[in-house]
Amino acid sequence: MHVGIIMDGNGRWASRKGLSRMAGHRKGALAVEEIIKSCANFGVDTLTLYAFSTENWKRESLEIDSLMTLFESYLKKYLNEFIRNEIRITFLGSREKLSQKLIEIINIATESTRHHTKFFLNLAINYGGRDEIVRAVKKIAVDIEKGFLKSSDIDENTISLMLDTASQADPDLIIRTAGEQRLSNFLSWQSAYSEFYFSKTEWPEFNKTEFVKALDSYKNRVRSFGAVAGE
Ligand code: FPP
C-alpha cells in the first residue's frame, strides 16, 4: 500500500506554542520518524512525504535556508538506518535551485539505497505535480526528437514511466494534516484514483494513533476505479 502525506501545520503549531516556525519544522521531523517506523506494522510499503513544494520558495529566505539545512542533516543522520532497514530513498522534484550540499546527500542516499526493495520512502523536495509533468513531457519530446519514440506510441504508461515515481504504484491514500482540504500540486498525475483523508491535527502532533485512524478510514472504503462499486 502506498500512502502520500501532505505534512501541513508546522507553522501554526509553532505559533500556537509561541515558538519559531523552525521549531515547528523540527518537531515535524520527529513526527516523520514516528510515521516511517509505523509503516511496516500496517502494510504500508511506500510512503511519499511532501516536504517542500515548488511554491514554498515564496517563503522568507531564512525559513527556506533552515528547512534545506534540516533536510540535509535529517538525511545524514538517518542514512545508515535507512540502509540497515533496506529502505529505498527516492527524490521527487527538481534538483534545480537546491544547494550543492543537499544535492550531494540526495545523490548519496539515492545511490546507496537503490537496490533496496523492502520499503520505498519518497521525499518530495522542490516538488510540484505540474512541474513533474512538464519535465516528463520534455523527456518524451527529446525521445521523439532522437527517434526513440513515435507520438502514436504514447499512452498513459509512457507518461507514468517518465515521472519521478516511475514504476512505483500510485498512492492508494493521501493524507493531509492541519485541516486544509486541497491537493496543492501534490502527485497530480498519480492521485487520479487516490482516496483522501483530512486530519485536523497539525503535523507536529500527528502520530501513530492518528496514522492508524487514517488507515482504518481507508480500509472501510470501497474503491471502484470508475466501475460499478461492489462488482
Ligand atoms: C508545512 O507546514 C510544512 C512544510 C512546508 C515543511 C515540511 C517539513 C517537515 C515536516 C520537516 C521535516 C521533514 C523531513 C522530510 C525531514 P507549514 O509550514 O506550511 O505550516 P503552516 O501552514 O501552519 O504555516
Side-chain angles (χ1 to χ4, degrees):
M1 175 179 181
H2 179 176
V3 177
I5 308 186
I6 302 172
M7 308 180 289
D8 198 9
N10 293 351
R12 274 164 280 172
W13 178 86
S15 69
R16 265 196 313 111
K17 304 257 171 196
L19 301 169
S20 69
R21 293 183 58 80
M22 257 339 275
H25 295 314
R26 278 193 295 271
K27 181 81 163 51
L30 297 176
V32 167
E33 183 182 349
E34 179 165 340
I35 298 309
I36 295 175
K37 285 187 172 149
S38 306
C39 283
N41 302 326
F42 303 107
V44 176
D45 56 24
T46 307
L47 181 69
T48 300
L49 300 173
Y50 203 7
F52 193 90
S53 75
T54 45
E55 288 70 39
N56 286 152
W57 296 105
K58 293 177 197 149
R59 295 183 178 212
E60 285 195 12
S61 63
L62 182 65
E63 182 177 353
I64 295 175
D65 292 347
S66 310
L67 265 173
M68 294 299 157
T69 310
L70 178 64
F71 299 146
E72 230 177 272
S73 54
Y74 189 89
L75 281 168
K76 281 193 188 133
K77 182 174 169 198
Y78 288 99
L79 184 56
N80 282 334
E81 213 169 313
F82 293 149
I83 294 173
R84 232 187 354 266
N85 289 293
E86 293 173 52
I87 295 176
R88 178 172 179 175
I89 309 290
T90 303
F91 282 87
L92 313 186
S94 164
R95 282 165 169 75
E96 226 172 75
K97 294 214 258 186
L98 300 184
S99 74
Q100 211 44 48
K101 266 160 72 190
L102 182 56
I103 293 174
E104 237 163 69
I105 181 75
I106 285 177
N107 289 341
I108 293 171
T110 311
E111 276 307 311
S112 56
T113 64
R114 71 175 330 128
H115 54 287
H116 293 157
T117 52
K118 205 162 157 188
F119 183 77
F120 297 89
L121 176 62
N122 298 327
L123 296 176
I125 297 177
N126 190 19
Y127 175 86
R130 289 186 173 186
D131 177 66
E132 182 188 35
I133 293 169
V134 169
R135 286 184 288 107
V137 169
K138 283 185 180 164
K139 286 184 226 168
I140 291 172
V142 168
D143 277 0
I144 291 177
E145 277 165 13
K146 290 191 170 160
F148 298 151
L149 189 68
K150 285 197 297 211
S151 61
S152 54
D153 290 337
I154 297 173
D155 59 14
E156 291 188 6
N157 203 37
T158 318
I159 295 172
S160 291
L161 287 173
M162 293 292 186
L163 298 174
D164 301 339
T165 48
S167 65
Q168 292 192 18
D170 286 338
D172 300 288
L173 173 68
I174 292 180
I175 298 171
R176 182 170 187 147
T177 59
E180 242 63 70
Q181 303 198 355
R182 54 178 176 266
L183 196 51
S184 300
N185 211 4
F186 183 51
L187 301 177
S188 312
W189 173 274
Q190 300 89 331
S191 63
Y193 289 101
S194 302
E195 296 288 329
F196 290 91
Y197 180 86
F198 299 106
S199 166
K200 290 218 158 58
T201 306
E202 290 153 342
W203 179 252
E205 285 184 355
F206 197 84
N207 56 17
K208 189 171 158 182
T209 311
E210 295 294 322
F211 192 43
V212 169
K213 268 197 232 166
L215 297 173
D216 281 347
S217 151
Y218 168 80
K219 270 192 242 149
N220 293 325
R221 303 184 197 179
V222 179
R223 298 177 79 197
S224 65
F225 297 96
V228 177
E231 283 187 357

